[in-house]
PDB file of all heavy atoms in Angstrom:
ATOM      1  N   ILE K   4      -3.797   8.161  42.234  1.00 84.00           N
ATOM      2  CA  ILE K   4      -3.563   6.874  41.580  1.00 84.00           C
ATOM      3  C   ILE K   4      -2.399   7.013  40.613  1.00 84.00           C
ATOM      4  O   ILE K   4      -2.370   7.924  39.789  1.00 84.00           O
ATOM      5  CB  ILE K   4      -4.826   6.411  40.827  1.00 84.00           C
ATOM      6  CG1 ILE K   4      -5.982   6.222  41.798  1.00 84.00           C
ATOM      7  CG2 ILE K   4      -4.555   5.118  40.072  1.00 84.00           C
ATOM      8  CD1 ILE K   4      -7.305   5.902  41.131  1.00 84.00           C
ATOM      9  N   ALA K  16      -5.893  -9.037  38.663  1.00 92.00           N
ATOM     10  CA  ALA K  16      -7.116  -9.393  37.934  1.00 92.00           C
ATOM     11  C   ALA K  16      -6.842 -10.481  36.899  1.00 92.00           C
ATOM     12  O   ALA K  16      -7.694 -11.348  36.656  1.00 92.00           O
ATOM     13  CB  ALA K  16      -7.694  -8.152  37.267  1.00 92.00           C
ATOM     14  N   GLN K  37      -1.286  -4.540  50.127  1.00 92.00           N
ATOM     15  CA  GLN K  37      -1.471  -3.207  50.703  1.00 92.00           C
ATOM     16  C   GLN K  37      -1.790  -2.168  49.618  1.00 92.00           C
ATOM     17  O   GLN K  37      -2.652  -1.300  49.825  1.00 92.00           O
ATOM     18  CB  GLN K  37      -0.201  -2.802  51.459  1.00 92.00           C
ATOM     19  CG  GLN K  37       0.058  -3.630  52.701  1.00 92.00           C
ATOM     20  CD  GLN K  37       1.424  -3.352  53.308  1.00 92.00           C
ATOM     21  OE1 GLN K  37       2.144  -2.452  52.855  1.00 92.00           O
ATOM     22  NE2 GLN K  37       1.797  -4.120  54.344  1.00 92.00           N
ATOM     23  N   VAL K  58      -9.924 -15.470  44.628  1.00 91.00           N
ATOM     24  CA  VAL K  58      -9.953 -14.036  44.321  1.00 91.00           C
ATOM     25  C   VAL K  58     -10.808 -13.866  43.078  1.00 91.00           C
ATOM     26  O   VAL K  58     -10.638 -14.598  42.099  1.00 91.00           O
ATOM     27  CB  VAL K  58      -8.542 -13.471  44.053  1.00 91.00           C
ATOM     28  CG1 VAL K  58      -8.629 -11.996  43.646  1.00 91.00           C
ATOM     29  CG2 VAL K  58      -7.643 -13.618  45.273  1.00 91.00           C
ATOM     30  N   GLN K  62     -18.280  -6.379  40.351  1.00 94.00           N
ATOM     31  CA  GLN K  62     -18.792  -5.686  39.169  1.00 94.00           C
ATOM     32  C   GLN K  62     -18.031  -4.388  38.948  1.00 94.00           C
ATOM     33  O   GLN K  62     -17.686  -4.033  37.813  1.00 94.00           O
ATOM     34  CB  GLN K  62     -20.287  -5.424  39.336  1.00 94.00           C
ATOM     35  CG  GLN K  62     -20.934  -4.832  38.085  1.00 94.00           C
ATOM     36  CD  GLN K  62     -22.442  -4.704  38.231  1.00 94.00           C
ATOM     37  OE1 GLN K  62     -23.017  -5.061  39.257  1.00 94.00           O
ATOM     38  NE2 GLN K  62     -23.096  -4.199  37.203  1.00 94.00           N
ATOM     39  N   GLY K  94       5.833  12.088  13.062  1.00 84.00           N
ATOM     40  CA  GLY K  94       5.671  13.533  13.138  1.00 84.00           C
ATOM     41  C   GLY K  94       5.361  14.133  11.783  1.00 84.00           C
ATOM     42  O   GLY K  94       4.820  13.453  10.895  1.00 84.00           O
ATOM     43  N   THR K 101      10.967  24.368  -5.157  1.00 92.00           N
ATOM     44  CA  THR K 101      10.754  25.108  -6.390  1.00 92.00           C
ATOM     45  C   THR K 101      10.089  24.190  -7.398  1.00 92.00           C
ATOM     46  O   THR K 101      10.097  22.963  -7.250  1.00 92.00           O
ATOM     47  CB  THR K 101      12.087  25.626  -6.958  1.00 92.00           C
ATOM     48  OG1 THR K 101      12.904  24.504  -7.303  1.00 92.00           O
ATOM     49  CG2 THR K 101      12.800  26.509  -5.960  1.00 92.00           C
ATOM     50  N   ILE K 114      13.271  11.909  -1.256  1.00 95.00           N
ATOM     51  CA  ILE K 114      11.867  11.861  -0.803  1.00 95.00           C
ATOM     52  C   ILE K 114      11.373  10.417  -0.775  1.00 95.00           C
ATOM     53  O   ILE K 114      10.708   9.988   0.184  1.00 95.00           O
ATOM     54  CB  ILE K 114      10.977  12.746  -1.697  1.00 95.00           C
ATOM     55  CG1 ILE K 114      11.334  14.227  -1.501  1.00 95.00           C
ATOM     56  CG2 ILE K 114       9.502  12.516  -1.381  1.00 95.00           C
ATOM     57  CD1 ILE K 114      10.580  15.164  -2.415  1.00 95.00           C
ATOM     58  N   LEU K 120      11.687   4.766   4.654  1.00 91.00           N
ATOM     59  CA  LEU K 120      12.324   4.579   5.958  1.00 91.00           C
ATOM     60  C   LEU K 120      11.470   5.089   7.112  1.00 91.00           C
ATOM     61  O   LEU K 120      11.519   4.543   8.220  1.00 91.00           O
ATOM     62  CB  LEU K 120      13.688   5.293   5.984  1.00 91.00           C
ATOM     63  CG  LEU K 120      14.795   4.678   5.131  1.00 91.00           C
ATOM     64  CD1 LEU K 120      16.009   5.599   5.093  1.00 91.00           C
ATOM     65  CD2 LEU K 120      15.193   3.310   5.670  1.00 91.00           C
ATOM     66  N   LEU K 165      23.642  20.671  -5.581  1.00 93.00           N
ATOM     67  CA  LEU K 165      24.237  20.390  -6.884  1.00 93.00           C
ATOM     68  C   LEU K 165      24.296  21.663  -7.711  1.00 93.00           C
ATOM     69  O   LEU K 165      23.590  22.636  -7.445  1.00 93.00           O
ATOM     70  CB  LEU K 165      23.448  19.307  -7.629  1.00 93.00           C
ATOM     71  CG  LEU K 165      21.939  19.527  -7.834  1.00 93.00           C
ATOM     72  CD1 LEU K 165      21.667  20.197  -9.169  1.00 93.00           C
ATOM     73  CD2 LEU K 165      21.182  18.218  -7.745  1.00 93.00           C
ATOM     74  N   GLN K 190      25.778  33.101 -27.587  1.00 92.00           N
ATOM     75  CA  GLN K 190      25.718  34.068 -28.680  1.00 92.00           C
ATOM     76  C   GLN K 190      24.717  33.646 -29.753  1.00 92.00           C
ATOM     77  O   GLN K 190      24.142  34.502 -30.430  1.00 92.00           O
ATOM     78  CB  GLN K 190      27.112  34.237 -29.301  1.00 92.00           C
ATOM     79  CG  GLN K 190      28.143  34.860 -28.378  1.00 92.00           C
ATOM     80  CD  GLN K 190      27.797  36.272 -27.977  1.00 92.00           C
ATOM     81  OE1 GLN K 190      27.095  36.988 -28.707  1.00 92.00           O
ATOM     82  NE2 GLN K 190      28.273  36.699 -26.814  1.00 92.00           N
ATOM     83  N   PHE K 200      11.004  34.441 -17.909  1.00 93.00           N
ATOM     84  CA  PHE K 200      10.250  34.747 -16.690  1.00 93.00           C
ATOM     85  C   PHE K 200       9.984  36.247 -16.575  1.00 93.00           C
ATOM     86  O   PHE K 200      10.812  37.066 -16.979  1.00 93.00           O
ATOM     87  CB  PHE K 200      11.040  34.314 -15.452  1.00 93.00           C
ATOM     88  CG  PHE K 200      11.248  32.836 -15.333  1.00 93.00           C
ATOM     89  CD1 PHE K 200      12.464  32.269 -15.682  1.00 93.00           C
ATOM     90  CD2 PHE K 200      10.235  32.014 -14.866  1.00 93.00           C
ATOM     91  CE1 PHE K 200      12.669  30.902 -15.568  1.00 93.00           C
ATOM     92  CE2 PHE K 200      10.426  30.649 -14.750  1.00 93.00           C
ATOM     93  CZ  PHE K 200      11.653  30.098 -15.105  1.00 93.00           C
ATOM     94  N   GLN K 219      28.102  37.782 -21.085  1.00 89.00           N
ATOM     95  CA  GLN K 219      28.504  37.477 -22.457  1.00 89.00           C
ATOM     96  C   GLN K 219      28.183  38.630 -23.410  1.00 89.00           C
ATOM     97  O   GLN K 219      28.284  38.485 -24.622  1.00 89.00           O
ATOM     98  CB  GLN K 219      27.758  36.213 -22.934  1.00 89.00           C
ATOM     99  CG  GLN K 219      27.997  34.974 -22.088  1.00 89.00           C
ATOM    100  CD  GLN K 219      29.412  34.457 -22.212  1.00 89.00           C
ATOM    101  OE1 GLN K 219      29.967  34.413 -23.312  1.00 89.00           O
ATOM    102  NE2 GLN K 219      30.001  34.064 -21.082  1.00 89.00           N
ATOM    103  N   ILE K 247      16.003  29.661 -21.963  1.00 96.00           N
ATOM    104  CA  ILE K 247      17.052  28.925 -21.254  1.00 96.00           C
ATOM    105  C   ILE K 247      16.475  28.465 -19.922  1.00 96.00           C
ATOM    106  O   ILE K 247      15.883  29.259 -19.190  1.00 96.00           O
ATOM    107  CB  ILE K 247      18.292  29.812 -21.009  1.00 96.00           C
ATOM    108  CG1 ILE K 247      18.903  30.264 -22.328  1.00 96.00           C
ATOM    109  CG2 ILE K 247      19.337  29.061 -20.184  1.00 96.00           C
ATOM    110  CD1 ILE K 247      20.065  31.239 -22.169  1.00 96.00           C
ATOM    111  N   GLN K 297      23.761  12.548   2.218  1.00 92.00           N
ATOM    112  CA  GLN K 297      24.442  11.271   1.990  1.00 92.00           C
ATOM    113  C   GLN K 297      24.421  10.873   0.522  1.00 92.00           C
ATOM    114  O   GLN K 297      25.312  10.161   0.051  1.00 92.00           O
ATOM    115  CB  GLN K 297      23.794  10.157   2.812  1.00 92.00           C
ATOM    116  CG  GLN K 297      24.083  10.231   4.305  1.00 92.00           C
ATOM    117  CD  GLN K 297      23.227   9.280   5.109  1.00 92.00           C
ATOM    118  OE1 GLN K 297      22.406   8.514   4.567  1.00 92.00           O
ATOM    119  NE2 GLN K 297      23.387   9.298   6.425  1.00 92.00           N
TER     120      GLN K 297
END
Side-chain angles (χ1 to χ4, degrees):
I4 299 174
Q37 292 171 6
V58 176
Q62 186 175 359
T101 64
I114 292 176
L120 290 172
L165 55 93
Q190 294 297 333
F200 295 101
Q219 301 291 318
I247 298 175
Q297 287 169 1

